[in-house]
Amino acid sequence: MYRHTVRQQVYQFADLKTLLARASPLRSGDQLAGLAAHSALERAAAQMALAELPLRTFLQDLVVPYETDEVTRLIVDQHQAAAFAPIAHLTVGGLRDWLLDYATTPERLAQVRPGLTPEMAAAVAKIMRLQDLVAVAAKCQVVTRFRNTIGLPGRLATRLQPNHPTDDFKGIAASVLDGLLYANGDAVIGINPATDNVPTVVGLLHLTNNLRERFAVPTQTCVLCHLTTTLRAFEQGAPVDLVFQSIGGTEATNASFGVNLALLAEGYAAGLALGRGTVGQNLMYFETGQGSSLSAQAHHGVDQQTLEARAYGVARHFNPLLVNSVVGFIGPEYLFNGKQIIRAGLEDHFCGKLLGLPMGVDVCYTNHAEADQDDMDTLLTLLGAAGCTYIMGVPGADDVMLSYQSTSFHDALYLRRLLGLRPAPEFEAWLLAQGLLDAELRLQPAPASHPLLAEAG
């Protein structure tokens, strides 16, 4: 039992998961699940009680039982006591102060990462302002490598997302070439297929790989199909770079996606066996999103932000190249409006980076959410200041296959120019060699004779 008094009223919280849920800033998903605080005063009481909670509590009071959930077992079994020792004496509020301290450098943050559980990261996020989330995330440095180097300080990568409603190869190829001309695609050229059809997936893998090889683009490609489809593509000799899968924060959530830790390990091993990386072998690509466990009825009474952080506990076990929170994609049932989407996006980015993940955010919303592009501009700019690893590059910011609003090729140019950010170094060198950037890294129009335009024609 946890409690705190506000204005002479005692608020009681039956267990840790209830305390975490009541302390979470308002969002529609927790209201839908009946987990949210019933008033602003109750939320404040929960946040104050949470701030006073020793971090050691999270190693003893588990929000999802160890005996029945393999994600909990992974989190507990992988926890490193030696890394936790420097902060073991702290409360959640003390951890917030420590994270914001000037003396807490990127190197010190990296040292304690294996000692932080996802629940600790979620807890401290709940008592932080937006500026706190931005300031600490900007200090977290996570670098990964496959054919280029992602996450270096002062860099911003993009996923070139050339989706097509019928998986038309010519339409996808045109979007890929357009994105490259706008200096997008260093994180990955990643396609969401309209169907999980194996022949189509294999064809798309060959298409993007052939384009990458033809123009010697130092990046990686991916078709974001189900892991079992990727494994079948492996069997057919398809050129698989990154192994993709959506994941969640409980065993039951992952079961709803048709995966478990053993299957993820199988995909990881298959990718490593190909050895397609040239500068590194980080090859897993995970997507997550607040609300996925609730939508699958697999949340165990735990709030959606805590479960999102637990998904990062799964992701970091497999040394991914990329992790992406599709923060506004799941809909207003879980994040109702622009304010909730902005808060959740910064929470997700903060928790992922704090736990050591190469964190990107799909700055997005569905057409029935109470949000607009101004909200997305706000989140995009804050994420740039927070050191976000990568964002999406979607033609016109309007995904015609998934029917949602994201960020465009131009948005990446805006953010790079505004904040002095650069593409991944290998990709930047390629852009310079192609004449698509000038010496000051400004985008240059390609002449009609440029090979990329000739291919598009």
Side-chain angles (χ1 to χ4, degrees):
M1 177 74 71
Y2 304 93
R3 69 185 67 199
H4 200 88
T5 302
V6 177
R7 294 184 179 177
Q8 298 182 333
Q9 181 173 347
V10 178
Y11 291 90
Q12 296 186 350
F13 311 98
D15 49 29
L16 181 56
K17 66 181 180 182
T18 302
L19 177 63
L20 288 166
R22 299 292 194 270
S24 196
L26 182 66
R27 59 210 59 199
S28 53
D30 291 338
Q31 290 178 306
L32 181 66
L35 302 175
H38 297 95
S39 68
L41 279 178
E42 185 184 20
R43 181 172 299 108
Q47 289 174 341
M48 286 187 280
L50 186 60
E52 296 169 356
L53 196 68
L55 291 180
R56 292 186 184 276
T57 307
F58 293 91
L59 304 177
Q60 302 155 1
D61 191 350
L62 305 178
V63 297
V64 183
Y66 182 94
E67 297 76 15
T68 59
D69 187 272
E70 67 174 3
V71 174
T72 299
R73 292 194 291 274
L74 177 68
I75 291 168
V76 172
D77 295 348
Q78 295 295 313
H79 182 259
Q80 294 185 18
F84 181 59
I87 57 172
H89 62 288
L90 296 176
T91 61
V92 173
L95 177 61
R96 173 188 174 274
D97 294 342
W98 183 84
L99 291 171
L100 289 166
D101 195 308
Y102 293 142
T104 302
T105 60
E107 293 74 22
R108 293 188 71 189
L109 287 168
Q111 289 168 359
V112 303
R113 277 176 193 154
L116 286 169
T117 69
E119 291 86 352
M120 293 175 193
V124 74
K126 294 177 192 296
I127 64 168
M128 297 175 85
R129 298 171 58 184
L130 295 190
Q131 66 175 246
D132 298 339
L133 298 172
V134 170
V136 176
K139 292 200 291 186
C140 297
Q141 296 179 6
V142 182
V143 178
T144 57
R145 296 174 174 86
F146 190 74
R147 282 200 192 88
N148 56 22
T149 307
I150 304 294
L152 291 169
R155 305 275 177 172
L156 174 72
T158 65
R159 168 188 160 187
L160 202 172
Q161 185 170 308
N163 297 343
H164 192 281
T166 63
D167 289 333
D168 180 81
F169 283 23
K170 288 185 178 179
I172 288 171
S175 292
V176 170
L177 296 169
D178 190 32
L180 291 173
L181 287 165
Y182 279 101
N184 278 242
D186 42 349
V188 63
I189 300 172
I191 305 166
N192 296 98
T195 66
D196 217 46
N197 175 278
V198 175
T200 298
V201 167
V202 170
L204 291 172
L205 286 167
H206 281 291
L207 169 70
T208 51
N209 186 65
N210 290 342
L211 285 172
R212 181 190 62 77
E213 289 187 334
R214 178 168 182 175
F215 296 104
V217 187
T219 190
Q220 35 282 328
T221 64
C222 184
V223 177
L224 283 68
C225 56
H226 193 270
L227 178 53
T228 55
T229 304
T230 301
L231 290 172
R232 294 178 66 184
F234 275 121
E235 294 170 357
Q236 296 187 20
V240 177
D241 286 347
L242 305 188
V243 177
F244 170 81
Q245 182 57 49
S246 295
I247 57 172
T250 68
E251 180 178 342
T253 308
N254 288 326
S256 76
F257 290 137
V259 297
N260 54 32
L261 296 181
L263 186 60
L264 293 174
E266 182 181 348
Y268 183 36
L272 287 174
L274 287 184
R276 290 176 59 82
T278 55
V279 298
Q281 291 298 326
N282 300 111
L283 56 85
M284 298 298 283
Y285 178 7
F286 295 115
E287 282 193 347
T288 66
Q290 288 194 29
S292 60
S293 293
L294 176 57
S295 69
Q297 295 295 301
H299 61 293
H300 299 280
V302 182
D303 71 273
Q304 62 186 42
Q305 189 253 333
T306 298
L307 291 177
E308 174 72 2
R310 281 170 54 94
Y312 305 152
V314 175
R316 70 174 175 176
H317 181 62
F318 295 99
N319 304 311
L321 180 76
L322 306 169
V323 179
N324 176 36
S325 166
V326 287
V327 65
F329 180 73
I330 199 166
E333 299 83 2
Y334 306 95
L335 296 169
F336 180 72
N337 55 22
K339 181 180 177 66
Q340 292 185 13
I341 292 170
I342 290 167
R343 171 82 198 189
L346 293 172
E347 288 171 348
D348 294 352
H349 178 255
F350 162 82
C351 288
K353 291 290 285 295
L354 184 63
L355 293 169
L357 291 176
M359 204 68 197
V361 177
D362 191 343
V363 180
C364 64
Y365 64 101
T366 57
N367 291 317
H368 61 309
E370 291 292 323
D372 58 27
Q373 210 63 39
D374 285 343
D375 296 315
M376 298 305 102
D377 284 348
T378 299
L379 178 55
L380 172 68
T381 306
L382 288 169
L383 285 168
C388 189
T389 302
Y390 70 105
I391 60 170
M392 306 301 110
V394 178
D398 185 356
D399 193 300
V400 295
M401 193 279 283
L402 293 173
S403 298
Y404 80 116
Q405 307 303 311
S406 185
T407 44
S408 72
F409 300 150
H410 303 76
D411 290 328
L413 299 178
Y414 148 75
L415 200 58
R416 284 172 174 163
R417 191 69 181 163
L418 175 72
L419 300 178
L421 303 172
R422 301 160 64 179
E426 300 88 348
F427 193 72
E428 177 187 298
W430 179 82
L431 291 168
L432 288 166
Q434 293 290 316
L436 300 177
L437 295 181
D438 66 13
E440 296 183 10
L441 302 183
R442 296 175 298 193
L443 188 73
Q444 297 299 298
S449 59
H450 195 283
L452 287 170
L453 281 175
E455 181 73 12

